[in-house]
Amino acid sequence: MMVGRSRTPPLRSAIAVLPLVFGLSATNVVAESLVAARAIIGGSVIEEVDLRRSKKQYPGAISDPLDAIGQEARVTIHAGRPVHVNNVQAPALVERNDRVQISFTTKTLSITTEGRALDRGSVGDRVRVMNLSSRSTVSGVVTKDGRVEVSRP
């Protein structure tokens, strides 16, 4: 009888067997991260040519190109640097000073008027808008069609 020794195999050997159990080879179990192929200027929409794969895995970096392509860079990402999750966001639908439709809707009332955006925002963002008729400032949420929907406070 062995004293002080466990009969279970060490964790390292169990992890080494996992790829074989699931039909994977060690060559296709490579963690990759996306890095900028060239400088991506903050505020620009990321395209496929802006990205390349890196064999090195960076913590917090995006690994799936579909998570980055079509998104907007929040900051400038220099060539060769990893593209982190917090460096991208949904592209803005409403830019500052854009003319937008403001809508307020209840069960019995629907009001639509024109306004000027005081902030920039993407779908779901809360932005301030100046009503062009009354010159008053209201806050609302950007909808997917570019309108700003104001709700009752």
Side-chain angles (χ1 to χ4, degrees):
M1 180 171 185
M2 300 169 110
V3 176
R5 291 236 176 208
S6 163
R7 288 182 177 229
T8 59
L11 182 61
R12 186 179 312 137
S13 64
I15 291 173
V17 173
L18 283 175
L20 300 175
V21 171
F22 292 106
L24 302 173
S25 67
T27 57
N28 62 5
V29 184
V30 177
E32 295 180 334
S33 295
L34 291 178
V35 295
R38 57 185 179 191
I40 303 170
I41 306 301
S44 63
V45 176
I46 298 172
E47 299 176 7
E48 189 175 353
V49 295
D50 295 327
L51 305 171
R52 68 178 171 80
R53 292 186 185 275
S54 170
K55 296 290 183 196
K56 186 173 180 183
Q57 184 176 21
Y58 296 95
I62 297 173
S63 59
D64 186 358
L66 296 177
D67 292 337
I69 296 172
Q71 297 292 310
E72 181 178 274
R74 296 180 71 210
V75 294
T76 298
I77 306 167
H78 297 285
R81 298 299 216 157
V83 180
H84 287 91
V85 175
N86 59 353
N87 290 351
V88 298
Q89 66 185 6
L93 283 179
V94 174
E95 294 290 337
R96 190 172 191 279
N97 288 325
D98 277 356
R99 292 180 88 121
V100 295
Q101 290 291 316
I102 305 170
S103 64
F104 175 80
T105 307
T106 65
K107 291 179 183 177
T108 58
L109 178 68
S110 179
I111 301 171
T112 302
T113 188
E114 194 169 18
R116 183 170 305 280
L118 301 176
D119 302 316
R120 86 189 289 267
S122 57
V123 175
D125 287 347
R126 181 165 285 281
V127 295
R128 294 174 306 126
V129 182
M130 181 179 65
N131 181 331
L132 294 179
S133 302
S134 66
R135 300 281 188 219
S136 63
T137 301
V138 295
S139 291
V141 177
V142 178
T143 63
K144 58 184 165 189
D145 59 355
R147 288 183 301 111
V148 175
E149 204 163 280
V150 178
S151 60
R152 185 177 250 166

